[in-house]
Structures are given as structure tokens and as C-alpha cells.
């Protein structure tokens, strides 16, 4: 085992966080499955520590984790473009209701 991974899930898909930790002395590049069926294809995640952005494709993400480091990927709000708008069909169009927050 070279990489430790876990996902934090809540009732809101937008709060999904994926954490990857590399306790080894070598860089590790892996394709990791994200265990949340609510995440749609081409969803953008941002590493909260480095700022790097990656897209989830087919419930997987390919990333490199440097030695002795942690990556914390949080889902980005893309409600202003078609990739983020895909969640409207599941959770409603919140921009239409200014007084309501998802």
C-alpha cells in the first residue's frame, strides 16, 4: 500500500471532499475511484492546499501525490457554466431562488 485515501460525504454532493495521503518516500501516481454515485462526469475538484484543479471522469481521478504529502480535493461550484449546470436537474436551479440556499 502506497497511498491512503478516503472521501467525506454528506447529504449535499457539493460538500464532497476526497483526501489522498502519501506516507512513502516516493511520488505515487494513481487512478482513484471516487465512491459517490451522485458525482456527475467532468465535475471539477480543487486541491485546497496547492490550488491544482482536476476533473472527475467516470467516477475516477488520476493524480500524483508527492512523497510525505496530503492532497485535499473539494468540489468546486461551477453553477455559472454548463459543467456545473448539470447538477440543476438533480438539485434544482438555486440561482432562480435568491432567498434559498442548497
Amino acid at each position: 500500500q502506497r497511498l491512503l485515501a478516503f472521501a467525506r460525504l454528506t447529504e449535499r454532493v457539493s460538500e464532497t471532499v476526497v483526501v489522498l495521503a502519501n506516507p512513502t518516500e516516493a511520488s505515487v501516481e494513481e487512478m482513484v475511484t471516487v465512491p459517490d454515485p451522485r458525482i456527475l462526469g467532468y465535475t471539477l475538484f480543487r486541491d485546497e492546499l496547492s490550488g491544482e484543479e482536476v476533473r472527475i471522469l467516470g467516477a475516477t481521478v488520476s493524480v500524483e501525490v508527492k512523497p510525505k504529502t496530503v492532497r485535499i480535493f473539494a468540489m468546486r461550484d461551477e453553477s455559472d457554466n454548463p459543467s456545473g449546470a448539470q447538477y440543476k436537474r438533480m438539485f434544482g436551479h438555486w440561482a432562480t431562488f435568491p432567498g434559498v440556499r442548497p
Side-chain angles (χ1 to χ4, degrees):
Q1 294 184 7
R2 300 180 315 157
L3 192 64
L4 304 171
F6 69 90
R8 191 224 39 202
L9 310 176
T10 70
E11 69 278 355
R12 296 182 182 177
V13 69
S14 62
E15 295 176 348
T16 299
V17 174
V18 177
V19 178
L20 304 172
N22 179 1
T24 72
E25 300 290 337
S27 286
V28 175
E29 188 167 342
E30 289 284 344
M31 179 182 287
V32 179
T33 301
V34 180
D36 189 345
R38 301 171 300 166
I39 295 176
L40 303 175
Y42 210 63
T43 297
L44 183 65
F45 277 74
R46 180 177 178 266
D47 184 336
E48 296 297 318
L49 301 175
S50 71
E52 180 185 350
E53 294 182 334
V54 296
R55 295 224 178 245
I56 303 289
L57 300 171
T60 64
V61 61
S62 294
V63 294
E64 179 183 3
V65 185
K66 303 253 187 249
K68 305 283 186 185
T69 60
V70 174
R71 308 216 42 203
I72 303 171
F73 291 101
M75 191 172 166
R76 305 310 306 156
D77 178 9
E78 290 190 288
S79 55
D80 60 337
N81 72 46
S83 291
Q86 66 182 340
Y87 285 93
K88 286 191 292 188
R89 68 178 176 81
M90 294 171 58
F91 303 105
H93 190 302
W94 297 107
T96 307
F97 308 101
V100 178
R101 293 285 168 233

